[in-house]
Amino acid sequence: MAEHIIYLLGPYQIPGFQGERNVRVYLPSEGAQAEPAPVLFLFDGQNVFHDDPSYSGGWHLHHAVRDLVGRGLAAPVLVGIDHGGSERLTELSPFPAEGSEGRLDGVLGWISSEIVPAVRERFAVRRDPDGTAIGGSSMGGLAALYAHFRRPDVFGAALCMSPSLWFAGGKIFDFVASQAVPASSRLYIDAGAQEDDGSVLRDAARLVEHLRQRGYGDQSLLFCPDEAGTHSEDAWRRRAPGALQFLFVEAAKEQPAGDGGGTDGEQQAA
């Protein structure tokens, strides 16, 4: 296969936020394809691909995507959206709390109105909620869960690894309970038993129990407790391929592909 190519979009500036950030895009395969691919937007884009931009190592998620392609399975376009450094906590929290102004709604507005259309215009990706997912880990996992229930018209699936459900006094539980179950809803949730004395896993199990009570079955929700899991890039890198398997491979077996379109953007160095 050809070498991995990462397309670099931007730099962008989010209205009302300081600084600029890049958006990195990875295609499952180069050249023409029979149908538009599903797409996964990811918070903390510095961690999605290589080690260098990441604080403690990247997820190498493009390798997991390429593995799916090599096996002839459904694979998503990856869109890594960089965080803003010192403003990360404010960007990724939907609720005000100590150290955070809770301005995720502003970030989601920017992603939905600028980044999603830009990706759809330049690349052959699906344009329906079923084919559009959002994901992240830790605060990014919390942000992805919120984004799915806040904007189900855009994001019909969410990848939530070790989500920081405790943040802002656990307000996310009340928020999810107050929202209708989206018409298109597919959730991957995990946590490690070694994270914060097990509290992250207990919070995740509580969320999953709530969702089960609201009708989520095995086809729409996958919960993956990790007995050896720590709150680290290593653990998320290890678990991410399973998340892709559920969100995209299994989904492709159950649902017809949506519409889509677009053309490739300009190539940047990997």
Side-chain angles (χ1 to χ4, degrees):
M1 290 186 179
E3 65 179 348
H4 296 286
I5 297 173
I6 308 293
Y7 293 84
L8 188 64
L9 310 184
Y12 293 95
Q13 185 165 17
I14 304 177
F17 290 85
Q18 297 180 357
E20 296 179 329
R21 74 276 321 282
N22 292 313
V23 173
R24 299 174 178 86
V25 180
Y26 179 76
L27 307 182
S29 59
E30 294 293 330
Q33 55 191 60
E35 296 180 348
V39 56
L40 172 60
F41 294 86
L42 291 147
F43 294 108
D44 294 328
Q46 293 96 328
N47 298 333
V48 173
F49 301 110
H50 302 106
D51 292 335
D52 290 345
S54 175
Y55 177 74
S56 57
W59 296 357
H60 306 165
L61 204 55
H62 51 309
H63 292 281
V65 164
R66 180 62 63 85
D67 179 65
L68 292 177
V69 172
R71 293 157 54 198
L73 300 174
V77 169
L78 302 175
V79 182
I81 303 169
D82 285 2
H83 64 70
S86 62
E87 287 196 286
R88 177 179 179 270
L89 203 58
T90 283
E91 291 175 4
L92 296 184
S93 173
F95 317 109
E98 183 176 355
S100 170
E101 298 174 21
R103 298 175 61 192
L104 176 59
D105 278 334
V107 175
L108 290 180
W110 169 72
I111 293 174
S112 300
S113 65
E114 187 165 353
I115 301 306
V116 171
V119 170
R120 288 176 174 174
E121 178 181 353
R122 300 186 190 196
F123 306 99
V125 300
R126 288 175 57 175
R127 299 166 181 259
D128 58 317
D130 274 349
T132 307
I134 191 163
S137 65
S138 192
M139 285 299 296
L142 172 69
L145 178 68
Y146 179 86
H148 171 59
F149 282 93
R150 183 73 173 85
R151 293 301 307 268
D153 56 313
V154 180
F155 308 109
L159 185 162
C160 308
M161 295 197 292
S162 303
S164 298
L165 304 174
W166 55 268
F167 195 79
K171 289 183 180 179
I172 190 64
F173 289 99
D174 289 337
F175 171 77
V176 170
S178 71
Q179 302 301 302
V181 173
S184 174
S185 190
R186 192 174 185 90
L187 297 172
Y188 170 90
I189 299 170
D190 70 23
Q194 308 306 313
E195 300 182 58
D196 197 15
D197 295 326
S199 66
V200 176
L201 180 56
R202 289 192 294 272
D203 283 346
R206 173 187 168 192
L207 173 66
V208 168
E209 177 61 24
H210 167 76
L211 294 171
R212 295 292 191 201
Q213 291 175 357
R214 297 184 66 182
Y216 279 80
D218 292 341
Q219 290 188 337
S220 56
L221 172 62
L222 179 63
F223 178 40
C224 291
D226 182 356
E227 291 302 319
T230 59
H231 202 77
S232 67
E233 307 299 340
D234 287 342
W236 300 323
R237 183 189 308 120
R238 174 168 50 81
R239 298 199 298 256
L244 297 185
Q245 175 78 26
F246 175 72
L247 290 174
F248 301 103
V249 177
E250 299 304 323
K253 297 176 182 177
E254 299 162 8
Q255 302 173 7
D259 62 337
T263 57
D264 286 357
E266 296 183 358
Q267 178 176 322
Q268 299 290 330

